[in-house]
Amino acid sequence: MLLTEIDHVAIAVADLEAAIDFYQRAFGATVTHREVVESDGVEEALLRVADSYVQLLTPTRPDSPVAKAIEKRGEGLHHVGYRVADCAAALEAMKAAGAIAIDEAPRPGSRGTTVAFIHPKSAYGTLIELVQE
Ligand code: CO
């Protein structure tokens, strides 16, 4: 089994501060990490749940993929991040199984991770992110 953990569940939101406030009031959640990833046009807030995270994602510019996702489908579940020991090996395994890679090779993600995305069209409608810590 190449997946070692659910790394994060990512939720696209229009207003990051409001979403953080909601999670704080509803669950007593605290933000353990915040980061702007300019290359992806997103700002994220990570709320720890055991060894995983809820990742609240908001666009930093109107042409970012997350902005387009909110425009098309509204706020909501955006992708699932699966933690793997070796992102390159997991990416190759997924491609061999017929999945379409959005990233042809692993690239830097937030928190100093190495990541690769798999197209939802080839993965039962779910955008998948492979995350190596
Ligand atoms: Co992610």
Side-chain angles (χ1 to χ4, degrees), residues 7-9 11 16 19-24 27-34 44-56:
D7 187 81
H8 60 274
V9 172
I11 300 164
L16 187 59
I20 290 169
D21 180 64
F22 173 73
Y23 271 78
Q24 281 174 340
F27 301 125
T30 54
V31 174
T32 52
H33 183 80
R34 272 186 89 140
E44 68 172 43
L46 292 175
L47 315 173
R48 189 175 264 286
V49 181
D51 287 330
S52 305
Y53 300 98
V54 172
Q55 180 186 64
L56 302 174

Side-chain angles (χ1 to χ4, degrees), residues 115-133:
V115 304
F117 280 88
I118 302 296
H119 201 287
K121 235 189 273 176
S122 64
Y124 295 90
T126 309
L127 177 59
I128 291 175
E129 180 181 11
L130 302 168
V131 184
Q132 179 184 341
E133 289 190 306

Side-chain angles (χ1 to χ4, degrees), residues 24-98:
Q24 281 174 340
R25 285 185 292 108
F27 301 125
T30 54
V31 174
T32 52
H33 183 80
R34 272 186 89 140
E35 188 168 337
V36 173
V37 184
E38 259 327 318
S39 53
D40 291 335
V42 298
E43 180 172 6
E44 68 172 43
L46 292 175
L47 315 173
R48 189 175 264 286
V49 181
D51 287 330
S52 305
Y53 300 98
V54 172
Q55 180 186 64
L56 302 174
L57 272 183
T58 201
T60 56
R61 50 172 197 265
D63 66 335
S64 79
V66 172
K68 285 175 186 158
I70 291 175
E71 205 180 283
K72 252 168 83 178
R73 298 186 299 274
E75 296 176 301
L77 188 59
H78 185 262
H79 65 270
V80 177
Y82 293 125
R83 202 172 297 154
V84 295
D86 183 337
C87 188
L91 179 61
E92 287 316 308
M94 288 210 78
K95 285 201 259 184

